[in-house]
Amino acid sequence: MMTSIVSKESGKADVSVLFYVKKAVQFSPVLSEQAQEQVDTVLDGMVDGPFADLEFLEIDGQPLLFVNASKEKGLDSLDGLRMAAYRLGKHAQKRQFGTVSLVLADAAPEQFAAILTGLYHAQYRFDKYKSKAPKVHSVRYELVAGTQTKALNAVKVQVETLMECTTLCRNLVNEPGGSLVPADMVKVAQQVAKNHKLAIKIRDKAQLTKEGFNGLLTVGRGGENPPYMVTLEYKPTAAAKHVHLGIVGKGVTFDTGGLSIKPANGMWEMREDMAGAATALAAIQAIASLKLPIRVTAVLCLTENRPGANAVLPGDIFTAKNGKTIMVENTDAEGRLILTDGLYEAGSHKVTHLIDIATLTGAMVRALGNAITGFFCNDDHFSTQIVAAGKENGEKFWPMPLEDEYADSLKDKVADFKNVTGEVGAITAALFLREFIPENVKWSHWDVAGTAFTTKEYKYTSFGSTGFGIHSLVALAQRLAQQ
Ligand code: BES
Ligand code: ZN
Ligand code: ZN
């Protein structure tokens, strides 16, 4: 746990932080001339010598923690700051510092936000399943803001909101597939709706059947835990005109592959297959908490994908909500089937901009790995806005082509479409989705199969859900509200 206080002036602290980039001090407490000279010598040695990225030194009687903010290859300077703060946070917990002072009076708001974000990431834990969870030391951070105190306090409130929502997403994604089923996600969505006064519509299996949402019903047939679709609406009174953002999330609470069953190795990771839905939920929660002036509708497509006596058979055909027929060639390509329902539902709410987020294909993981989300978009301006929103938040997006040359390979001999083709898995998945988007919307598909979850320490996640996408979605909503 941690607390952070934005204060005008420095108070009493156990240690003051000095961030450095190469040989230059970036943020530092006020130092005597003598101390300054010593610091310069130390920095020369740090950069050229065998020092760690974090060094605790007492200089001229002042306890200083040197933190390297320039280390990370391939990351921009803001992400360098987030990572530096993350390392600082971990170190401060381990060393059990009481109060750590950071003098950030000269920081730009985005630098201040980056540092605080890193500190919050450092405190995240998912240890509810440990019989003896280790006690985490609580650090108090004093963020000295000088004349910027009011402005940076406002930034702090924003960061806290975003990180609270990120924690919600992470906790949901990290939960094992047997412990979090569609109905559990529905309960959480209800709670979010209640807390933030969002309109909520829950369709259970009977309602889905009545209305012909056959994607969810088809995939959900194999599991004992029934599918749901949840629609959340945020309608602020002062909303920007002519813009309405829809966010559709893939929420497969566990993906065994169904009858086209996955190999045993690594199957456990498929708890992450509801990350899209968790991200959509966290994003609308953040947007509502921050009271952004934009209409947003989030649709969560929730189901399990399991083999079972009644499971969908390879070769079975169903009619999607927009009337097109689909042959299920491979039951493991289930995400695109349930998204047909989500895209339709978002369209019926007359969204102008529509994003679907899904851990959709292993092909995307092979193409871009764990650091970059490949996305598809049918509008150049929207595409630019997405990349920019990501960049502000250390979330990398790479534009992928909706290549028409591959489109015909999705045609089936018996039904209109089949759900898989032999090659270019991530692109053909996007082309499949394109058949089901509402008319006249700016649409983007985010394939987060590689970026939503990590099994090794990566950036500011030690293990599990990364929360990828929440920050970018909120930044994007901010941009759309202003355009
Ligand atoms: N949920 C998986 C995709 C996935 C893979 C997510 C790795 C996260 C990490 C998806 O439902 C799936 O199984 N896709 C298949 C599609 C194939 C059958 C065409 C895949 O990518 O192998
Ligand atoms: Zn699958
Ligand atoms: Zn899946």
Side-chain angles (χ1 to χ4, degrees):
M1 285 300 110
M2 67 178 252
T3 42
S4 64
I5 316 283
V6 180
S7 66
K8 198 150 187 267
E9 281 160 24
S10 297
K12 247 181 122 34
D14 298 329
V15 62
S16 295
V17 175
L18 187 149
F19 284 105
Y20 65 96
V21 174
K22 303 242 164 67
K23 288 183 185 180
V25 171
Q26 191 170 24
F27 302 112
S28 143
V30 181
L31 300 168
S32 66
E33 214 170 289
Q34 205 181 351
Q36 187 62 60
E37 269 173 32
Q38 285 185 47
V39 162
D40 290 342
T41 320
V42 167
L43 283 181
D44 282 344
M46 288 233 171
V47 177
D48 301 328
F51 281 91
D53 296 328
L54 251 154
E55 289 288 344
F56 178 82
L57 295 169
E58 211 165 285
I59 291 195
D60 206 20
Q62 196 170 352
L64 287 180
L65 193 59
F66 286 73
V67 181
N68 186 355
S70 56
K71 182 87 198 304
E72 310 303 326
K73 232 186 200 159
L75 303 186
D76 62 17
S77 58
L78 278 184
D79 231 14
L81 271 181
R82 286 183 200 101
M83 287 220 55
Y86 174 78
R87 287 196 301 268
L88 161 63
K90 289 281 183 202
H91 185 81
Q93 282 162 14
K94 210 162 107 197
R95 291 280 303 256
Q96 309 210 335
F97 288 133
T99 297
V100 176
S101 166
L102 288 83
V103 179
L104 301 172
D106 295 334
E110 62 273 17
Q111 289 176 316
F112 180 88
I115 290 171
L116 201 50
T117 302
L119 293 175
Y120 270 100
H121 276 297
Q123 86 161 346
Y124 178 76
R125 279 195 176 51
F126 187 72
D127 51 16
K128 63 185 272 200
Y129 290 104
K130 289 279 184 206
S131 58
K132 288 192 192 84
K135 255 216 158 79
V136 181
H137 175 74
S138 166
V139 183
R140 180 176 174 275
Y141 293 97
E142 180 199 59
L143 311 165
V144 183
T147 54
Q148 292 204 84
T149 301
K150 207 170 154 209
L152 295 185
N153 222 341
V155 174
K156 183 189 127 159
V157 174
Q158 273 207 17
V159 171
E160 279 173 350
T161 302
L162 272 162
M163 292 312 290
E164 206 179 292
C165 300
T166 304
T167 297
L168 171 79
C169 168
R170 284 176 155 183
N171 285 344
L172 293 171
V173 174
N174 287 339
E175 202 60 57
S179 312
L180 184 124
V181 298
D184 298 311
M185 282 289 286
V186 172
K187 277 187 216 130
V188 178
Q190 275 174 315
Q191 200 54 52
V192 169
K194 193 169 159 222
N195 292 349
H196 299 280
K197 300 194 177 59
L198 305 175
I200 183 167
K201 180 164 185 166
I202 298 161
R203 288 181 173 93
D204 61 8
K205 193 171 163 190
Q207 194 58 36
L208 291 170
T209 309
K210 212 162 148 191
E211 294 184 50
F213 285 106
N214 292 326
L216 276 163
L217 290 166
T218 300
V219 174
R221 274 170 44 188
E224 292 279 324
N225 298 297
Y228 287 89
M229 180 155 73
V230 177
T231 306
L232 297 141
E233 288 180 90
Y234 169 59
K235 288 190 204 171
T237 38
K241 291 210 165 60
H242 314 303
V243 49
H244 179 176
L245 174 63
I247 309 171
V248 174
K250 171 178 175 182
V252 176
T253 55
F254 197 82
D255 181 12
T256 65
L259 286 173
S260 316
I261 199 158
K262 288 181 181 296
N265 253 354
M267 194 203 274
W268 68 272
E269 274 184 55
M270 284 303 128
R271 64 173 68 175
E272 73 169 284
D273 219 19
M274 35 59 75
T279 307
L281 179 62
I284 197 169
Q285 184 191 33
I287 290 164
S289 318
L290 296 170
K291 300 194 168 50
L292 298 189
I294 179 171
R295 260 196 85 172
V296 179
T297 297
V299 184
L300 319 182
C301 304
L302 305 167
T303 182
E304 300 182 312
N305 186 26
R306 289 198 192 223
N310 194 37
V312 60
L313 302 173
D316 279 357
I317 294 170
F318 73 96
T319 305
K321 186 70 180 157
N322 72 351
K324 297 184 182 178
T325 58
I326 301 167
M327 189 271 279
V328 183
E329 185 170 312
N330 187 319
T331 65
D332 196 11
E334 82 298 339
R336 63 199 77 180
L337 304 181
I338 65 173
L339 289 173
T340 63
D341 290 337
L343 294 169
Y344 186 94
E345 166 69 358
S348 72
H349 285 264
K350 306 258 177 305
V351 299
T352 58
H353 295 70
L354 177 54
I355 291 174
D356 72 73
I357 315 169
T359 43
L360 207 64
T361 66
M364 187 60 88
V365 189
R366 285 191 290 282
L368 299 181
N370 299 111
I372 311 165
T373 292
F375 79 104
F376 299 81
C377 192
N378 65 358
D379 181 86
D380 286 344
H381 181 57
F382 193 29
S383 172
T384 312
Q385 288 176 309
I386 291 165
V387 175
K391 202 164 165 31
E392 279 170 22
N393 291 288
E395 297 187 332
K396 291 180 180 171
F397 287 87
W398 190 259
M400 301 287 290
L402 286 160
E403 178 51 64
D404 279 320
E405 265 195 63
Y406 302 134
D408 281 352
S409 66
L410 284 162
K411 294 206 168 133
D412 184 49
K413 290 202 172 67
V414 179
D416 297 339
F417 297 98
K418 51 188 177 184
N419 70 338
V420 296
T421 70
E423 31 185 343
V424 286
I427 297 177
T428 49
L431 289 169
F432 179 92
L433 293 178
R434 191 175 67 171
E435 295 295 332
F436 300 91
I437 59 174
E439 267 175 32
N440 298 322
V441 295
K442 295 184 166 68
W443 161 70
S444 181
H445 157 56
W446 297 2
D447 190 337
V448 292
T451 47
F453 195 87
T454 178
T455 50
K456 53 179 193 281
E457 178 141 47
Y458 175 66
K459 288 222 289 196
Y460 7 89
T461 307
S462 56
F463 175 87
S465 166
T466 60
F468 185 101
I470 301 166
H471 283 69
S472 297
L473 280 169
V474 173
L476 194 62
Q478 249 150 356
R479 275 165 191 265
L480 292 175
Q482 279 160 15
Q483 77 179 6

